[in-house]
Amino acid sequence: MNLEKEKVKHLAELARLELGEEEAAEFSRQLSEVLAYAGKVREAPVAGMEPVIHLLSLANVFREDEVEPSLPREEALANAPHREEGFFRVPRILEEN
Amino acid sequence: MNYETVIGLEVHVELKTEAKVFCGCAARFGAEPNTHVCPGCLGMPGALPVLNKRAVEYCIKAGLALNCRIAPFSRFDRKQYFYPDLPHAYQISQDDLPLCAGGGLKIVNPAGEERLVRINRIHLEEEAGRTYHSGTGTAGYSLLDFNRSGLPLIEIVTEPDLRSPEEARIFLEKLQEILRYIEVSDCKMEEGSFRCDANISVRPAGSREFGRRMEIKNLNSFKAIQAALAYEENRLGSLLAAGTPPEQEESRGWDETRGMTFFMRPKEKATDYRYFPDPDLPPLVIAEEWVEAIRAGLPELPEEKKNRYVKEYGLPVQDADLLGSFRETAEFFEATLRCYSGEPKTVANWVMGDFARLLNLEKLTPAQSKLKPEALAAMLQMIDDGQISGKIAKTVFEEMFYSGKSPREIVAEKGLAQISDENQLTAVVREILAKHPGPVADYRAGKTKALGFLVGQVMKETKGQANPGLVNKLLREELDK
């Protein structure tokens, strides 16, 4: 299975990764190999088997609608490089997603 | 050439649960920033989501109220994009297997035509945090509050079945009314618990193909929705008329102050969200029995209620509309009616009149007020039985509203009982006649209007407590002697 350079660049963009031309070519080669290896799964005989919709054999794991204590604010913000009046402070965001 | 407008809506509604959808933090609006957060809704490594059962129940409830099919099998997916208020860098949502599908809502448009607005799907997802922008230029920065992160959210997607900005507004008002009725959300646009993105395109009338679609984001009032869509309808119509249809699909914003939409970004760049099933959350298998139990618990919906008020109680359509639009008002009205054997219209008048006026004045809802339906019913019965006059009833009602006392107590305490004692009233009548020889002569000379004046004098003398029918009768008897 092949992962073209253009596709690699697109994925890099979505993941906000900067890739040079050479890197894109290199990752295209490497990722194609990885995909080819994982692609062996496709050779498994699955005729007549139910498709797997979820990896877990569990279903319906619920919590009741009950409030539990939250983190103290100091703790919630403890690892924040920047904060201001109880908020996390981050660089200006121009465009809304 | 005539043009046709095509509109479809995506409505986001925050569900009114106690706790968030995947963790136990309180789901409450207006708390101090970052006080309702935990490793789960802050996206810290290692924290695992566990689904709030009530959020699922509320989503199913909304689906049933909007005539959707509830999927027997459903699951959660990760929708991946980057934004600082999305701490996992993905949103837990539902992609190809939403909880509710199909369905629809009928509206009556301004032309009086009934239209079915089909609903494509309703799915359950988590809310993002809140971003506040601060400072300007290069000194600008953003502040993040994650209290909202992880609130349960449903997204309701309609088919492109709306044909005018007015229809869009009517649909949304009706949707809001229903969701409040079934008590799954407060639907407060001003607090963001009910928000809407609208897709609009314009095409030559009769055309079967859609025109290029514009998405208007973040509309936060009914007024803004209708105004933004009307602006865009005009803009697209003019472009078509000029032979220059839009070249690309766009996301556009709404500038409230300038009253116009503005370009945000082309739709072609539409984010590739790379959805995949969330491995942290087991799928949902919804049993038929659960769905039926939820269906059985649904209240009568506003539309059925209003129709029934007209048919069963003989109320005018306007009264039915007023009483039926808010669940608490409707419940108060019906509860009063259950304890009262008189006319439904009498109850309706008091609920829409004095009660509504005092509620408004005190900014209370019917359930928050001290007045109980049984007390109103008892008061109406006292009027019917001639124990108090209609006029005195207004005083009694106000006292009941503020004190929560029974009408009997108030009447006894304040000595407001109607005077229906013939001997007592005859004495007053004679006294009044003696005091006012002029009007008495007028009446006897055939000026029957003078009777009204005399009735008024008797009522005044008895502080409004005399039985007016009896006063009339006694006056005539005395005058005709």
Side-chain angles (χ1 to χ4, degrees):
Chain A
M1 194 169 162
N2 202 19
L3 193 72
E4 305 87 7
K5 205 169 88 179
E6 286 317 304
K7 186 83 180 164
V8 170
K9 284 180 170 172
H10 175 63
L11 286 172
E13 199 184 309
L14 290 172
R16 305 291 188 273
L17 294 173
E18 247 177 272
L19 285 191
E21 280 299 314
E22 274 176 36
E23 283 173 307
E26 177 63 11
F27 284 131
S28 166
R29 193 186 59 74
Q30 286 185 4
L31 289 170
S32 294
E33 274 177 26
V34 172
L35 283 175
Y37 178 72
K40 281 192 196 296
V41 172
R42 296 187 173 215
E43 291 163 20
V46 294
M49 287 171 76
E50 283 287 311
V52 174
I53 302 180
H54 208 283
L55 292 172
L56 299 174
S57 51
L58 294 166
N60 300 352
V61 177
F62 293 124
R63 63 162 67 237
E64 291 305 315
D65 184 24
E66 282 158 13
V67 174
E68 289 163 19
S70 294
L71 281 181
R73 181 152 75 180
E74 269 315 300
E75 224 170 287
L77 290 164
N79 294 327
H82 305 284
R83 57 162 107 173
E84 186 175 310
E85 290 172 5
F87 289 98
F88 292 86
R89 180 176 159 161
V90 296
R92 184 179 179 77
I93 303 141
L94 289 173
E95 204 200 33
E96 293 242 76
N97 204 309
Chain B
M1 190 190 273
N2 286 325
Y3 297 110
E4 183 182 47
T5 303
V6 177
I7 298 169
L9 303 172
E10 288 167 20
V11 187
H12 283 97
V13 181
E14 278 175 8
L15 300 177
K16 197 167 64 168
T17 51
E18 295 295 321
K20 292 185 179 181
V21 60
F22 295 119
C23 66
C25 288
R28 198 147 48 80
F29 181 82
E32 284 291 303
N34 295 308
T35 51
H36 294 166
V37 294
C38 71
C41 55
L42 285 172
M44 290 180 178
L48 288 173
V50 183
L51 181 59
N52 184 332
K53 191 174 181 182
R54 185 164 292 154
V56 177
E57 185 191 318
Y58 281 4
C59 183
I60 294 175
K61 222 171 159 183
L64 291 175
L66 298 169
N67 308 302
C68 295
R69 293 186 308 277
I70 308 306
F73 187 93
S74 168
R75 77 172 168 214
F76 291 95
D77 302 280
R78 293 183 177 181
K79 176 182 180 176
Q80 318 198 58
Y81 64 91
F82 293 109
Y83 203 70
D85 62 20
L86 190 74
H88 289 101
Y90 60 81
Q91 177 191 30
I92 303 177
S93 181
Q94 297 192 287
D95 181 27
D96 54 349
L97 294 170
L99 198 43
C100 315
L105 186 56
K106 276 189 193 148
I107 59 160
V108 178
N109 72 9
E113 300 157 349
E114 189 171 88
R115 310 197 45 119
L116 173 68
V117 183
R118 289 169 301 154
I119 286 172
N120 173 288
R121 60 185 285 159
I122 306 177
H123 68 253
L124 181 60
E125 58 188 24
E126 60 177 344
E127 178 78 282
R130 261 193 117 116
T131 309
Y132 299 88
H133 301 290
S134 211
T136 50
T138 46
Y141 54 90
S142 298
L143 296 174
L144 303 171
D145 172 12
F146 290 101
N147 284 347
R148 199 178 72 169
S149 166
L151 253 56
L153 198 65
I154 54 173
E155 179 175 331
I156 302 170
V157 183
T158 77
E159 297 291 350
D161 287 345
L162 296 153
R163 291 292 173 268
S164 72
E166 294 78 15
E167 284 187 10
R169 179 187 46 81
I170 292 167
F171 170 81
L172 288 167
E173 283 173 352
K174 191 157 181 186
L175 181 64
Q176 183 192 47
E177 186 178 281
I178 290 175
L179 295 174
R180 281 181 175 165
Y181 238 83
I182 61 173
E183 294 175 330
V184 298
S185 172
D186 293 331
C187 294
K188 289 185 181 165
M189 284 190 114
E190 68 281 11
E191 290 181 5
S193 61
F194 186 88
R195 348 187 258 274
C196 170
D197 295 340
N199 287 295
I200 178 169
S201 63
V202 173
R203 62 183 173 188
S207 161
R208 301 197 57 177
E209 280 180 24
F210 292 123
R212 283 231 163 73
R213 181 166 64 120
M214 302 291 148
E215 184 189 32
I216 315 176
K217 310 277 290 178
N218 302 325
L219 295 165
N220 55 11
S221 75
F222 288 125
K223 209 177 120 220
I225 286 158
Q226 193 173 329
L229 285 171
Y231 177 87
E232 201 55 23
E233 178 180 52
N234 256 322
R235 191 183 72 89
L236 293 172
S238 309
L239 287 176
L240 283 192
T244 55
E247 278 168 19
Q248 56 179 7
E249 301 194 329
E250 299 169 357
S251 287
R252 299 181 68 88
W254 169 242
D255 185 331
E256 185 92 53
T257 35
R258 288 194 299 161
M260 55 197 292
T261 64
F262 59 90
F263 172 80
M264 285 167 73
R265 59 180 171 271
K267 259 283 189 198
E268 269 86 304
K269 272 183 76 187
T271 334
D272 173 355
Y273 290 120
R274 295 153 294 151
Y275 283 99
F276 71 87
D278 192 318
D280 289 344
L281 286 157
L284 286 173
V285 178
I286 308 293
E288 189 68 28
E289 299 82 67
W290 193 21
V291 175
E292 286 319 308
I294 295 171
R295 194 194 303 276
L298 278 179
E300 184 182 30
L301 295 177
E303 179 139 316
E304 306 162 44
K305 236 186 221 314
K306 291 171 187 177
N307 290 336
R308 185 166 62 82
Y309 287 180
V310 173
K311 264 194 216 135
E312 203 173 299
Y313 301 145
L315 293 184
V317 175
Q318 278 152 305
D319 291 16
D321 245 6
L322 260 170
L323 293 170
S325 287
F326 291 96
R327 184 165 168 186
E328 280 188 20
T329 311
E331 281 174 353
F332 189 96
F333 168 70
E334 290 178 35
T336 309
L337 217 47
R338 277 194 292 274
C339 335
Y340 177 62
S341 52
E343 283 299 310
K345 176 68 180 149
T346 311
V347 180
N349 288 346
W350 280 91
V351 173
M352 296 183 303
D354 289 63
F355 192 33
R357 179 178 59 79
L358 291 172
L359 287 173
N360 244 331
L361 190 71
E362 301 300 332
K363 300 202 166 40
L364 294 173
T365 71
Q368 290 166 343
S369 104
K370 286 185 182 160
L371 180 76
K372 297 292 160 253
E374 303 76 44
L376 175 57
M379 189 197 82
L380 297 179
Q381 199 58 55
M382 289 173 80
I383 303 175
D384 292 349
D385 295 345
Q387 295 171 35
I388 52 172
S389 66
K391 190 153 172 261
I392 290 292
K394 295 218 166 228
T395 312
V396 175
F397 185 84
E398 200 157 323
E399 182 71 23
M400 280 161 54
F401 181 87
Y402 285 108
S403 70
K405 286 182 185 165
S406 79
R408 259 168 230 295
E409 259 179 285
I410 294 164
V411 168
E413 266 172 32
K414 306 216 155 188
L416 295 172
Q418 182 156 276
I419 306 169
S420 295
D421 182 89
E422 251 182 69
N423 293 334
Q424 194 184 343
L425 280 183
T426 305
V428 181
V429 163
R430 287 190 179 141
E431 194 183 315
I432 293 297
L433 292 184
K435 254 195 226 170
H436 301 282
V440 171
D442 286 349
Y443 178 84
R444 290 195 169 130
K447 288 185 191 159
T448 46
K449 268 191 187 163
L451 184 68
F453 170 80
L454 295 167
V455 171
Q457 291 306 308
V458 177
M459 294 310 286
K460 203 170 146 193
E461 186 64 29
T462 57
K463 298 192 186 73
Q465 283 169 253
N467 178 334
L470 194 54
V471 171
N472 254 294
K473 179 180 149 258
L474 293 175
L475 269 171
R476 282 176 203 278
E477 280 174 11
E478 289 295 318
L479 286 164
D480 294 342
K481 261 185 191 167

